[in-house]
Amino acid sequence: VRSSLGIERFHLLGHSWGGIVANRYAARRPAALRSLILQGAPLSARRGEASIRALVAQLPPAEAAAIAARGRGGAAAPDDAAYQKASGAFMRKHIYRTSLRDVAMPYMAPTPEDRGNAVASALVGDDLLAGFGGVMAGFDDEPLLSRIRVPTLLLRGEFDIMTREATRAVQP
């Protein structure tokens, strides 16, 4: 796309999962970039999971306990009401910050209904709060940061899944 448009060098922004793609692009095609911005990007399963655990710990005690119990292999089943309530609270705070009906649904109208969930499940498994499963299980792209040779800005927002500590940990 870049070469078809006659763009030799450009600034690249990757947010959240798009930050993984941007990080890989920057490490593999550095000559094409002027700068890189990574916003709330989980660059390794280990750090992403630790960040999510820290955010879960900030939920109200009953919700944090319901999620923690399931993570420890507790009795919570996928249809457990307490877990579903807690999981929903986490997702609304850190993943689904806009109205799906008003924002996402008009955009996604031509997309078959199961595609978004199918992609998410393939990437991280059926339950993000249980850790990175799917193809992202155990991934680690943090070493790619050392190959980036352009000015790079690491950002995180108040509601991103990557905590301040996780973002600081990948700074040189």
Side-chain angles (χ1 to χ4, degrees):
V1 171
R2 179 180 57 83
S3 61
S4 295
L5 294 173
I7 299 170
E8 290 185 33
R9 296 183 71 217
F10 63 101
H11 305 279
L12 180 60
L13 164 68
H15 174 253
S16 192
W17 300 107
I20 297 168
V21 176
N23 185 52
R24 289 180 177 191
Y25 187 92
R28 292 185 177 115
R29 301 189 186 272
L33 294 183
R34 292 184 184 278
S35 67
L36 174 66
I37 301 171
L38 298 175
Q39 162 76 41
L43 298 179
S44 72
R46 171 184 48 84
R47 200 167 313 280
E49 290 167 349
S51 188
I52 289 170
R53 282 192 304 273
L55 293 170
V56 165
Q58 295 173 14
L59 291 172
E63 292 173 349
I67 292 171
R70 182 163 182 189
R72 291 190 304 270
D79 61 340
D80 180 67
Y83 179 79
Q84 292 302 318
K85 179 182 176 194
S87 174
F90 180 89
M91 297 306 246
R92 281 187 303 280
K93 184 171 184 180
H94 297 288
I95 307 293
Y96 306 125
R97 298 276 312 154
T98 60
S99 164
L100 287 175
R101 187 185 75 241
D102 296 337
V103 178
M105 298 319 288
Y107 168 75
M108 294 175 63
T111 305
E113 196 172 310
D114 67 338
R115 293 308 189 268
N117 289 339
V119 171
S121 290
L123 287 173
V124 297
D126 292 329
D127 187 354
L128 177 64
L129 298 179
F132 286 24
V135 297
M136 303 301 286
F139 96 101
D140 185 1
D141 281 359
E142 289 180 18
L144 296 179
L145 290 168
S146 67
R147 294 172 38 193
I148 297 171
R149 300 289 179 246
V150 296
T152 301
L153 177 61
L154 299 174
L155 298 174
R156 67 161 295 278
E158 179 181 357
F159 301 107
D160 286 342
I161 63 168
M162 298 307 293
T163 62
R164 175 179 288 126
E165 294 75 21
T167 303
R168 284 184 178 152
V170 297
Q171 292 176 336

